[in-house]
Amino acid sequence: MSKIDITTTHNAHGFYSCMNIATRRIVEFCKEHNKFPTVDFSPCFSLYKDSKEDNIYDILFKENLFVDFDKVKFLDFDDFGNWANYRKVIRNDFPSLGFFIDRYFRVSGLVNESEERLVDQYDIEVEKTAAIFFRGADKFTDGDQFVEDYDNLLIPAKEKIIHDKSIKDVIVQSDQSQFIEYARSEISKLGVRVIVFTEARTTEFNLSGRGIHHITPVGERISGIVLFTSIVQILSKCKVFCTTTSNTARWISYYRGKDPDSILQIFKHQVVESRSVRA
């Protein structure tokens, strides 16, 4: 077994917060040692384990040892700090990030199989589909970052969908049941099919600070995160992606693999699109 260079232990927050911190440590190691580290992810993601022995990384991801380190371009550390979810999702250096995703975070065969089942079950053609993603539930704090009014997201999203005549379906994905029902009603008025992944666990808006990852019972945690990771992959491939600000939204944009004109984000109550970031 190769010598372990990094052991990731960040467990206090959500799944993609853990991935942010792990990526930051990987980038730091690469800059200091001029090579990819061997990483032990096994202590991480504890809120997604059904038993202490589960290795969530091995279940969800596969490492690619053939990524050429000599071609790596390094990232802005601020994109992977504890408060990375408070930044614009479309300001990132997508080409640089691709090296690290290819090395550590391409999804496993199990996730691919789950994704394929969902695509078949819901008859999804991603090139004709828009995705709307709202991170709600326990994200009650506004702080000029989180959308409290659903229409702040839905009105510009509807405009973007109407403008693109190729869009036939719209996926509505959220951890908050009230948003899903409201968005389903509003988007269906556009004459498109609305897709909601009914298998995904939701909860209601709450002030407890406890999200889905805190309330999923033991015995359903691994199946739940496999499902959610496969949904993230589908959202990342949709032609249009409209979102509020969150770590999950950031990683969906990362998996898109480019600086896309097809992302619309609500950031500090304002609409942000990639062309405005480049301006």
Side-chain angles (χ1 to χ4, degrees):
M1 181 177 178
S2 301
K3 172 181 173 293
I4 300 298
D5 298 308
I6 295 174
T7 299
T8 60
T9 58
H10 182 70
N11 277 308
H13 303 287
F15 185 81
Y16 289 101
S17 174
C18 294
M19 287 183 62
N20 279 347
I21 300 304
T23 303
R24 182 186 178 99
R25 294 195 62 197
I26 289 168
V27 173
E28 288 173 339
F29 182 94
C30 289
K31 284 191 170 184
E32 181 177 352
H33 299 281
N34 203 36
K35 66 174 184 176
F36 286 121
T38 299
V39 184
D40 177 10
F41 291 93
S42 60
C44 201
F45 309 118
S46 62
L47 290 175
Y48 304 89
K49 297 181 179 184
D50 288 323
S51 71
K52 291 182 179 179
E53 293 73 30
D54 291 330
N55 188 322
I56 299 301
Y57 177 86
D58 286 350
I59 293 169
L60 299 179
F61 302 107
K62 56 186 178 183
E63 186 176 0
N64 178 5
L65 300 178
F66 298 101
V67 177
D68 187 352
F69 184 85
D70 291 336
K71 295 181 179 179
V72 168
K73 297 178 181 179
F74 291 106
L75 307 169
D76 178 359
F77 280 172
D78 288 342
D79 279 352
F80 298 97
N82 290 319
W83 304 107
N85 56 312
Y86 291 104
R87 301 187 72 193
K88 297 174 184 176
V89 302
I90 54 180
R91 62 176 293 171
N92 305 286
D93 186 347
F94 292 100
S96 297
L97 182 67
F99 292 103
F100 296 93
I101 286 183
D102 286 342
R103 174 66 187 231
Y104 295 102
F105 298 118
R106 288 299 172 193
V107 295
S108 66
L110 181 64
V111 173
N112 282 327
E113 290 171 6
S114 176
E115 177 187 349
E116 289 171 3
R117 282 196 298 271
L118 290 174
V119 168
D120 289 342
Q121 178 181 342
Y122 290 92
D123 192 23
I124 297 170
E125 296 180 81
V126 290
E127 68 278 3
K128 298 179 181 178
T129 302
I132 298 176
F133 179 76
F134 180 87
R135 174 68 171 93
D138 58 309
K139 294 297 184 184
F140 61 89
T141 304
D142 184 5
D144 287 332
Q145 307 292 338
F146 298 109
V147 176
E148 294 179 339
D149 182 349
Y150 299 157
D151 283 333
N152 284 349
L153 173 61
L154 291 179
I155 289 175
K158 286 190 288 186
E159 292 174 353
K160 196 170 186 68
I161 292 165
I162 291 170
H163 180 74
D164 191 332
K165 302 301 183 184
S166 69
I167 298 300
K168 306 300 181 185
D169 300 327
V170 178
I171 296 172
V172 173
Q173 174 63 33
S174 177
D175 51 1
Q176 186 166 314
S177 55
Q178 296 100 321
F179 176 82
I180 289 176
E181 292 311 309
Y182 182 75
R184 188 205 303 261
S185 173
E186 290 299 305
I187 298 300
S188 64
K189 296 174 183 177
L190 303 180
V192 297
R193 181 175 66 128
V194 178
I195 298 170
V196 175
F197 296 115
T198 57
E199 301 89 342
R201 184 182 294 272
T202 62
T203 187
E204 295 186 349
F205 171 84
N206 68 82
L207 300 178
S208 68
R210 295 172 65 80
I212 296 295
H213 49 290
H214 290 107
I215 63 175
T216 302
V218 173
E220 299 178 22
R221 292 176 175 178
I222 289 178
S223 60
I225 195 58
V226 169
L227 172 65
F228 187 67
T229 305
S230 64
I231 290 173
V232 164
Q233 293 300 303
I234 293 172
L235 300 185
S236 76
K237 296 171 183 175
C238 289
K239 184 175 182 183
V240 172
F241 177 52
C242 305
T243 185
T244 51
T245 302
S246 69
N247 284 317
T248 304
R250 294 176 64 78
W251 278 85
I252 292 170
S253 72
Y254 296 160
Y255 279 112
R256 295 179 79 85
K258 55 184 180 294
D259 183 13
D261 291 317
S262 55
I263 291 180
L264 178 150
Q265 179 192 8
I266 302 301
F267 182 77
K268 296 186 177 182
H269 303 293
Q270 301 294 320
V271 175
V272 178
E273 297 186 79
S274 56
R275 60 179 178 272
S276 63
V277 172
R278 290 194 296 266

